[in-house]
Amino acid sequence: MKVFAQKNYVVITGDIVDSSKLSKAQRKLLPGLIAKASRETSQAFPAAVPLAVDVFRGDGWQLLVSDVTHSLRVGLFFRAVLRSAAERGRGLDTRVAVAVGTVDFVGERVSQGDGEAYRLSGRTLENMPRKQRLLLALPEGNETEALAVIVRLIDVLAQGWTGKQALAVRGALRGWTHEKIAREWPASISQQAVTKHLDGAQWPALEAALLYVENNLQRL
């Protein structure tokens, strides 16, 4: 993949929360679930996600995003796919370190790359506080306390999603109407039920926070 020296990219690095506590059967299914999240993320954001997610160490993954503005949305979508793997309960969750910066080179796989965004993403995941599962790291001089607080609140809301709420949020993150989310639901569901799930996920507040972050990222 060709990269441009002065352009900002985003490297998202993550790992599955409490993967060591999963049963043998659950760990066996894990690569398939991460691959599913990768496929759906690429389909949802084809212009922003040029390469498939790279999986390593069994529970770690890395994603390259060429669209800085919508990078947090991409990371949340990937997380929502994993969260919606089980409709009952809260399914799997993943830590997500979203880092903006330049990229020196990228190979055929996402992990075969290097640059500011790669190093920043890795450090951000490594230093992520225990109770946090989403962090946004920006090039030096661009960080603001307001952005950090907003992203923290987005994370708090996302940690509370049930499987069905995460499934509804997946559609909302793509800009789908409640009617389309209901049509694409795996089983029959009403628009009213979709609205209920989105309200339970605090989508109106989450969307407002996400748009605030995206407006700030756009200035980069």
Side-chain angles (χ1 to χ4, degrees):
M1 173 184 163
K2 182 179 179 180
V3 296
F4 299 92
Q6 302 304 316
K7 173 181 167 61
N8 276 326
Y9 294 85
V10 174
V11 174
I12 305 177
T13 309
D15 57 18
I16 302 301
V17 175
D18 292 333
S19 61
S20 61
K21 297 180 181 179
L22 297 176
S23 67
K24 182 178 179 180
Q26 289 173 318
R27 290 197 304 272
K28 187 176 181 180
L29 294 173
L30 192 55
L33 291 174
I34 295 177
K36 178 178 184 291
S38 172
R39 288 193 303 272
E40 294 198 18
T41 302
S42 296
Q43 292 167 0
F45 306 96
V49 183
L51 297 172
V53 68
D54 209 349
V55 182
F56 45 90
R57 299 194 310 271
D59 71 338
W61 56 273
Q62 196 165 61
L63 193 62
L64 179 70
V65 184
S66 59
D67 177 4
V68 171
T69 302
H70 295 108
S71 55
L72 192 63
R73 186 178 295 262
V74 171
L76 276 175
F77 183 90
F78 189 95
R79 185 178 179 185
V81 175
L82 291 175
R83 294 297 302 275
S84 62
E87 287 199 6
R88 294 183 179 181
R90 286 176 166 75
L92 293 171
D93 202 358
T94 180
R95 299 193 302 164
V96 181
V98 181
V100 179
T102 56
V103 168
D104 295 336
F105 61 86
V106 181
E108 293 182 359
R109 297 174 55 180
V110 175
S111 62
Q112 296 172 336
D114 193 18
E116 178 187 28
Y118 277 93
R119 294 187 289 271
L120 188 55
S121 184
R123 288 198 304 268
T124 300
L125 183 67
E126 183 178 345
N127 298 323
M128 188 176 292
R130 186 176 62 84
K131 291 187 178 181
Q132 284 185 247
R133 297 179 184 176
L134 176 67
L135 278 178
L136 173 66
L138 302 178
E140 188 175 352
N142 291 279
E143 308 94 335
T144 68
E145 186 177 355
L147 270 181
V149 170
I150 293 296
V151 172
R152 180 72 182 104
L153 290 174
I154 290 173
D155 181 35
V156 169
L157 294 177
Q159 288 191 37
W161 293 340
T162 65
K164 289 184 178 180
Q165 287 169 357
L167 190 58
V169 169
R170 282 164 54 181
L173 285 167
R174 299 181 71 168
W176 288 357
T177 63
H178 293 198
E179 179 183 7
K180 183 169 177 58
I181 294 173
R183 287 202 309 268
E184 298 293 331
W185 204 268
S188 178
I189 190 174
S190 66
Q191 290 184 52
Q192 291 79 9
V194 168
T195 300
K196 180 181 177 181
H197 292 318
L198 287 175
D199 286 345
Q202 301 298 322
W203 171 250
L206 193 152
E207 183 181 32
L210 189 57
L211 290 173
Y212 175 86
V213 174
E214 290 177 342
N215 286 336
N216 280 269
L217 289 177
Q218 193 169 28
R219 299 190 182 102
L220 294 177

